[in-house]
Amino acid sequence: MLIKTVSGLELGGRVTAPHGCGITVESGQTVEVVFKFKASLAPGTYFLNAGLVELRAEGEVFLERWVDAAVFKILPGDVTVAGPVDFSIEPSLFVDNLEISEKEV
């Protein structure tokens, strides 16, 4: 799965197995994949892509691809981030080696 911005910037995602690894699924079997994550994103609209790959001798081949399979929105809150991803950075400010608290800024 892959999360991207409205402008198409790919922010990141995850696969279920390392490259070249996988599981064998027989015809008629049902497979469910769940990706749990904390949406540490700036307010805005985002899209989710997903796909299903088959391992062949020549490499990975997409069997299914769902571009913009889902859309979700992060609502504004008290988070002040620069850019689309909140890396949970905790800034500190020092003047003459003395720390300035958020309340003083």
Side-chain angles (χ1 to χ4, degrees):
M1 72 82 133
L2 173 74
I3 297 173
K4 64 182 185 174
T5 65
V6 172
S7 65
L9 176 65
E10 297 177 350
L11 299 176
R14 188 70 192 257
V15 297
T16 55
H19 179 73
C21 298
I23 62 170
T24 301
V25 179
E26 300 296 328
S27 178
Q29 286 184 298
T30 300
V31 177
E32 178 180 357
V33 179
V34 177
F35 291 98
K36 294 181 181 181
F37 64 99
K38 181 179 178 184
S40 294
L41 303 168
T45 302
Y46 298 89
F47 294 92
L48 183 119
N49 292 357
L52 174 65
V53 226
E54 180 179 36
L55 298 175
R56 295 185 182 168
E58 63 273 16
E60 294 179 345
V61 176
F62 274 100
L63 298 178
E64 291 285 340
R65 234 174 155 178
W66 301 281
V67 176
D68 300 343
V71 62
F72 61 96
K73 185 173 236 173
I74 303 296
L75 300 175
D78 294 332
V79 178
T80 53
V81 296
V85 180
D86 177 4
F87 291 107
S88 298
I89 297 170
E90 296 180 17
S92 297
L93 176 63
F94 296 86
V95 176
D96 292 333
N97 292 324
L98 296 173
E99 186 170 12
I100 306 298
S101 73
E102 281 188 54
K103 295 175 186 175
E104 296 174 279
V105 176

